[in-house]
Amino acid sequence: MSLKHWAYALAAATVLSLPAIPAAQAEDSIYVPLFTYRTGPFAGSGTPIADGMHDYLTMLNERDGGIGGVKLVIEECETGYDTKKGLECYESVKPKHPVMVNPWSTGITLPLIPKAAVDKIPVLSMAYGLSASAKGDIFPWVFNPPATYWDGFTQILKYIAAQEGGGVEKLKGKKIGYIFLDASFGREPLPLIESLSKELGFEAKLYPVAAADMQNQSSQWLNVRRDRPDYMILYGWGALNSTAVKEAVKTNYPMEKFISIWWPSEDDARGGGDKATGFKTLNWHAVGANFPLIADIQKYVVDKGKSQVSSKDKVGQVLYNRGVYNSMLIAEAIRTAQKVSGHKVVTGEDVRRGLEDLNIDAARYKEMGLENFAGPVKLTCADHNGHFSTFIQRWDGKQYVKVSDYITPMTDKVEPLLEADAKAYAEKNAPWPKRTEPCDKAS
Amino acid sequence: MFYREAGQFKQSYAADQAIFPIRQDRIGLAVILLIAFVGIPLFGNEFLLASVMVPFLILALGAIGLNLLTGYAGLLSLGTAGFMGVGAYAAYKLSTIFPEVNILVWILCSGFFAAAVGAVFGLPSSRIKGFYLAVATLAAQFFLQWCFVRWSWLYNDNASGAIEVPARTLFGIAITGPSATPVTRYLVVLTIVVVMTLIASNIVHGRIGRSWMAVRDMDIAAQLMGIRLLPVKLLAFAVSSFYCGVAGALMVFLWLGAAEPAAFDINLSFVLLFMVIIGGLGSLIGSFFGAALIHILPIAIRMLPDALGLSIGAATVEHLTFMIVGALIIFFLVVEPHGLARLWQIGKQKLRVWPFPY
């Protein structure tokens, strides 16, 4: 047989053998798939998050032998931030009975929302996805703590008001620019902006950036230069953030007055050079590696070469810690599920209850080795988001430093919108199933 | 030897004009259809049905749509994803305005909306062709995607800015929405794709298809033969967009389940164009080959390390997949610039003369 024939035979053999080998999986383990994106246009943001999520759960396996004595099976599935690939990931993990999925993309979250109740797999979309899914009575299987994009917007407004030396009445007559990704994520605050600008008397200037021109924002910033807004608010992701910082520096926009939602990373700010100092973002957890738990991650995972982080100083960066926070929610939900259900090897149904009964207070943070890492998280049957406070952090040229206290959202403004939106979703997707899952007493 | 038409005599014009004049082809097709309609639903698991076969069929339908335009009529288009989006949004609007009408009716009707939009954006083709037309259709792509983002009426003012698929049934069985099983969705998609492929095959073998090919090969000569260019080109745009529109509606309703405007971005247009080029311009079966190579091959490669028991990081596998698929695309284009369909033809010819090749 010639080489060519051998090649054909090999190809045929591999194709035939593909479906034959089922994934080896132990019965007494908990399967936690992680949807990550280390490739594609958003890899810059996706990689540190993936590292943080993966390393925390690996550390639990290495240090404690899993959660409650049950090993976690952690598997990454690469989505590339692409909805189609994300759904493919979902279908490929579904037969292995995952206890929850974290889509890490609003586009992937949306199709999973109706599926969650049917497949009995809870969806944890941490501070992204469908804001209305905060309503536990309509979306029993979807969770999006610790805050929605609407909450975030009102928190930024409150901070701006505080900078002006007072309450929200100080916003009157101010010009506030809003530069955002012209997709569902960035457009979500628009109805809120419309109603709030009338109510509070500020003038909103909108600068949409199409997804295709994320790296070319010169026309938007030309308009910013002309309009001279008093403050700028940024809702971006991936290359949009770094480009916005660079353009703001080029435009000589005062960076102290440029405030973003919680997604920019260190690299996004660093790209703007020294002049980017003063750039601010929202955040709800600490940065840095000075926590006993993160030291454990260093010791058990990074030092043993079980992590994919490119260098050790990446541990503790904003988005790495964001991933750690996400995995902490996963782990705590599983732990709570073990407690409320009495099972060691929990199922998706148990973890859904675990998420509803989730209660991480200061004492628990200390116990985990994450004292003062983030604010308490307590979810209930009706409230799957919590609308927790966030704070402002400032880029000082080297790292982000917390510069404000925890700011509460304007719940009175956000709540009616959420209520109306959740109801509209259920109506438009009629027949939307009624919640049949009973509430636990604790929540 | 395996593939000889010797002894198969045609005794009527109808028999001679059949789509599959050779008996072996008919048997082969019957076997493929049998496997597709019976074998795969019986033995395939959910992943194979929902993540491999349904997307493959839908992408193949979109590729057929583009192939009618680019492969048969010679009009290069980069607006395919836009036209698919028109179909998807039309089906969504129709289904939410008239929920009592069966969703399949609306999916097929949505094709007419896409056809109308496609014909409008096809108007420049009367004056320009080649790369210039590609740029003109690129404008359609950007304009349509802009509409999907900005025109909130299209997505019923959803705060999420996306279209969500309501649950709909056919004969009491859920075919869209979360409770629709992959088997049902697969069979619905398969039926639509098979029927539409048959129609496409009839179109391209008939008067319309021949006039498209005449225009493709030399438009001046076609004009001299009495083919009126503008109606023929617009018809090509309309029919092509009809297929793309139905594919787009199927994509949202039976595959994704919810879609942001980003689902219909320029990447999808390029992917479909690659499928058409690699599969074979001007070949319906090539559209299926192209869709298989671009959609199924990466999935197979991604599953390979697991199947062999190797533990490679998900991202590394993804990079490897990109490299291997890219290399294969170049390999196939170098070995056979006319696409996989031509390889298929060569293969058939070889089977015909085996075991005495000359």
Side-chain angles (χ1 to χ4, degrees):
Chain A
M1 252 205 267
S2 70
L3 188 66
K4 203 160 87 181
H5 289 105
W6 276 109
Y8 284 140
L10 183 70
T14 45
V15 168
L16 287 176
S17 67
L18 268 183
I21 303 162
Q25 218 189 332
E27 281 299 305
D28 50 349
S29 59
I30 298 173
Y31 180 59
V32 187
L34 300 176
F35 291 7
T36 56
Y37 40 103
R38 297 169 186 273
T39 64
F42 296 93
S45 302
T47 308
I49 292 173
D51 287 334
M53 285 174 60
H54 178 264
D55 292 357
Y56 182 95
L57 295 176
T58 313
M59 189 276 292
L60 289 183
N61 266 347
E62 297 288 314
R63 190 188 65 182
D64 311 337
I67 300 172
V70 186
K71 255 223 170 345
L72 303 173
V73 175
I74 309 153
E75 193 177 62
E76 279 191 34
C77 188
E78 175 70 31
T79 68
Y81 203 71
D82 178 32
T83 304
K84 297 175 189 107
K85 264 192 215 155
L87 284 179
E88 194 188 304
C89 279
Y90 181 78
E91 292 294 338
S92 72
V93 302
K94 202 167 82 178
K96 302 184 206 165
H97 305 294
V99 295
M100 71 160 77
V101 289
N102 298 262
W104 271 107
S105 142
T106 298
I108 303 172
T109 311
L110 293 174
L112 296 189
I113 287 172
K115 284 182 200 259
V118 178
D119 299 336
K120 308 277 178 230
I121 302 169
V123 174
L124 173 62
S125 57
M126 190 183 73
Y128 54 86
L130 186 74
S131 289
S133 57
K135 292 278 155 210
D137 41 349
I138 295 177
F139 301 97
W141 288 86
V142 189
F143 297 82
N144 59 352
T148 67
Y149 287 134
W150 286 332
D151 293 321
F153 197 86
T154 61
Q155 282 157 341
I156 295 177
L157 284 184
K158 271 186 151 179
Y159 176 75
I160 292 174
Q163 292 304 100
E164 293 294 321
V168 283
E169 71 282 351
K170 289 280 177 190
L171 293 171
K172 204 172 181 65
K174 294 280 169 221
K175 205 188 268 184
I176 294 175
Y178 176 53
I179 183 158
F180 59 101
L181 180 66
D182 200 359
S184 36
F185 148 60
R187 296 179 68 80
E188 201 173 298
L190 293 184
L192 183 74
I193 295 174
E194 201 178 329
S195 67
L196 281 183
S197 61
K198 276 193 207 112
E199 204 177 319
L200 303 174
F202 65 86
E203 188 191 348
K205 289 274 177 199
L206 304 181
Y207 308 102
V209 181
D213 318 320
M214 285 198 308
Q215 281 157 303
N216 175 21
Q217 302 173 12
S218 37
S219 66
Q220 282 89 352
W221 286 94
L222 213 63
N223 289 341
V224 170
R225 189 185 294 218
R226 189 194 61 206
D227 297 340
R228 302 198 165 280
D230 296 307
Y231 286 89
M232 284 293 289
I233 297 178
L234 168 69
Y235 267 48
W237 186 224
L240 198 150
N241 286 333
S242 51
T243 314
V245 171
K246 271 181 222 154
E247 289 285 342
V249 168
K250 238 196 273 174
T251 320
N252 278 327
Y253 190 82
M255 292 307 280
E256 300 284 351
K257 300 190 165 184
F258 190 20
I259 306 164
S260 167
I261 193 77
W262 38 68
W263 294 121
S265 67
E266 276 87 355
D267 292 336
D268 292 332
R270 198 174 288 127
D274 290 341
K275 282 186 176 166
T277 306
F279 175 62
K280 297 192 174 75
T281 78
L282 279 185
N283 199 354
W284 65 79
H285 57 73
V287 291
N290 293 327
F291 295 93
L293 183 129
I294 294 180
D296 279 349
I297 292 181
Q298 297 266 27
K299 185 171 140 201
Y300 288 98
V301 185
V302 182
D303 291 347
K304 289 194 178 161
K306 288 185 175 160
S307 169
Q308 291 189 47
V309 287
S310 50
S311 72
K312 273 188 189 174
D313 56 317
K314 297 267 179 207
V315 176
Q317 291 200 342
V318 176
L319 292 183
Y320 185 91
N321 282 12
R322 185 82 33 92
V324 168
Y325 183 92
N326 192 155
S327 277
M328 179 202 77
L329 292 182
I330 299 175
E332 288 305 292
I334 293 174
R335 202 180 67 92
T336 315
Q338 287 175 334
K339 213 163 59 187
V340 293
S341 70
H343 307 146
K344 278 282 166 217
V345 182
V346 289
T347 61
E349 279 109 323
D350 299 333
V351 173
R352 193 198 67 76
R353 283 173 67 196
L355 278 160
E356 278 192 346
D357 296 343
L358 198 64
N359 185 6
I360 310 173
D361 52 12
R364 177 62 194 152
Y365 273 116
K366 192 167 178 192
E367 203 183 331
M368 284 190 283
L370 285 172
E371 201 179 359
N372 296 328
F373 180 68
V377 179
K378 185 173 180 356
L379 300 183
T380 65
C381 213
D383 185 358
H384 280 190
N385 179 280
H387 309 287
F388 296 108
S389 308
T390 60
F391 58 83
I392 296 278
Q393 57 184 9
R394 179 179 175 276
W395 175 249
D396 72 354
K398 287 193 185 65
Q399 58 191 358
Y400 285 111
V401 182
K402 184 177 169 196
V403 291
S404 84
D405 276 337
Y406 278 94
I407 305 166
T408 54
M410 301 181 195
T411 312
D412 53 324
K413 306 277 191 295
V414 174
E415 199 59 25
L417 274 175
L418 277 181
E419 196 75 52
D421 204 29
K423 210 175 274 165
Y425 183 97
E427 269 166 27
K428 281 172 189 161
N429 287 285
W432 187 251
K434 280 249 173 327
R435 178 179 172 130
T436 52
E437 291 78 6
C439 284
D440 283 323
K441 238 182 245 141
S443 61
Chain B
M1 148 132 194
F2 291 113
Y3 193 77
R4 286 203 77 95
E5 68 273 37
Q8 299 179 29
F9 301 112
K10 308 287 184 305
Q11 290 174 330
S12 66
Y13 284 118
D16 201 35
Q17 286 171 343
I19 302 175
F20 298 104
I22 302 171
R23 191 190 298 131
Q24 285 90 333
D25 275 348
R26 288 197 293 271
I27 295 171
L29 188 75
V31 169
I32 291 172
L33 286 180
L34 200 68
I35 292 173
F37 273 101
V38 182
I40 293 178
L42 275 183
F43 300 109
N45 59 12
E46 288 206 348
F47 179 76
L48 178 76
L49 289 170
S51 288
V52 180
M53 291 312 290
V54 167
F56 159 67
L57 288 170
I58 292 172
L59 289 171
L61 188 65
I64 288 175
L66 182 62
N67 217 336
L68 292 178
L69 187 66
T70 306
Y72 285 96
L75 301 166
L76 192 55
S77 165
L78 288 175
T80 326
F83 301 137
M84 285 177 77
V86 172
Y89 279 81
Y92 173 71
K93 280 307 284 188
L94 288 167
S95 171
T96 47
I97 296 172
F98 308 103
E100 59 282 353
V101 181
N102 193 294
I103 184 66
L104 288 185
V105 174
W106 287 142
I107 286 179
L108 293 176
C109 274
S110 63
F112 289 106
F113 288 82
V117 173
V120 170
F121 282 104
L123 280 174
S125 66
S126 68
R127 285 283 176 274
I128 50 182
K129 51 187 176 181
F131 290 120
Y132 304 96
L133 184 64
V135 174
T137 51
L138 195 62
Q141 165 71 36
F142 287 134
F143 173 74
L144 290 171
Q145 214 192 335
W146 181 86
C147 283
F148 302 151
V149 174
R150 290 307 184 83
W151 192 4
S152 61
W153 176 80
L154 281 177
Y155 48 86
N156 287 351
D157 301 301
N158 284 339
S160 59
I163 51 177
E164 289 124 1
V165 173
R168 295 281 186 265
T169 56
L170 175 73
F171 309 130
I173 305 166
I175 53 171
T176 68
S179 39
T181 60
V183 177
T184 345
R185 286 190 286 143
Y186 168 74
L187 286 174
V188 170
V189 172
L190 181 68
T191 312
I192 293 178
V193 171
V194 166
V195 170
M196 287 186 67
T197 310
L198 193 69
I199 295 172
S201 159
N202 273 307
I203 293 176
V204 297
H205 284 98
R207 184 181 57 83
I208 299 171
R210 277 156 209 263
S211 60
W212 284 345
M213 286 185 264
V215 170
R216 170 191 68 191
D217 291 340
M218 195 174 181
D219 51 354
I220 294 174
Q223 217 169 2
L224 284 172
M225 286 194 292
I227 294 171
R228 290 167 62 207
L229 288 188
L230 185 62
V232 164
K233 284 181 175 177
L234 287 190
L235 189 65
F237 263 100
V239 174
S240 153
S241 303
F242 182 90
Y243 275 78
C244 293
V246 173
L250 286 175
M251 183 169 128
V252 171
F253 278 76
L254 287 131
W255 170 14
L256 299 179
E260 292 186 294
F264 302 104
D265 65 357
I266 181 86
N267 279 340
L268 183 62
S269 291
F270 279 123
V271 165
L272 285 166
L273 189 62
F274 296 154
M275 284 176 188
V276 168
I277 292 174
I278 295 164
L281 283 162
S283 160
L284 293 180
I285 195 164
S287 308
F288 286 93
F289 287 145
L293 186 84
I294 296 217
H295 181 75
I296 299 181
L297 188 70
I299 296 179
I301 296 176
R302 272 198 288 277
M303 288 169 69
L304 201 59
D306 254 0
L308 297 176
L310 300 171
S311 127
I312 305 177
T316 321
V317 174
E318 191 68 20
H319 288 301
L320 283 175
T321 310
F322 275 128
M323 285 190 267
I324 295 172
V325 173
L328 277 177
I329 289 173
I330 295 172
F331 171 79
F332 279 121
L333 286 182
V334 169
V335 172
E336 189 44 80
H338 294 291
L340 299 172
R342 178 91 185 110
L343 281 180
W344 175 247
Q345 255 181 354
I346 295 172
K348 283 207 291 192
Q349 182 60 28
K350 291 229 157 120
L351 281 179
R352 192 182 163 157
V353 297
W354 190 84
F356 303 113
Y358 44 83

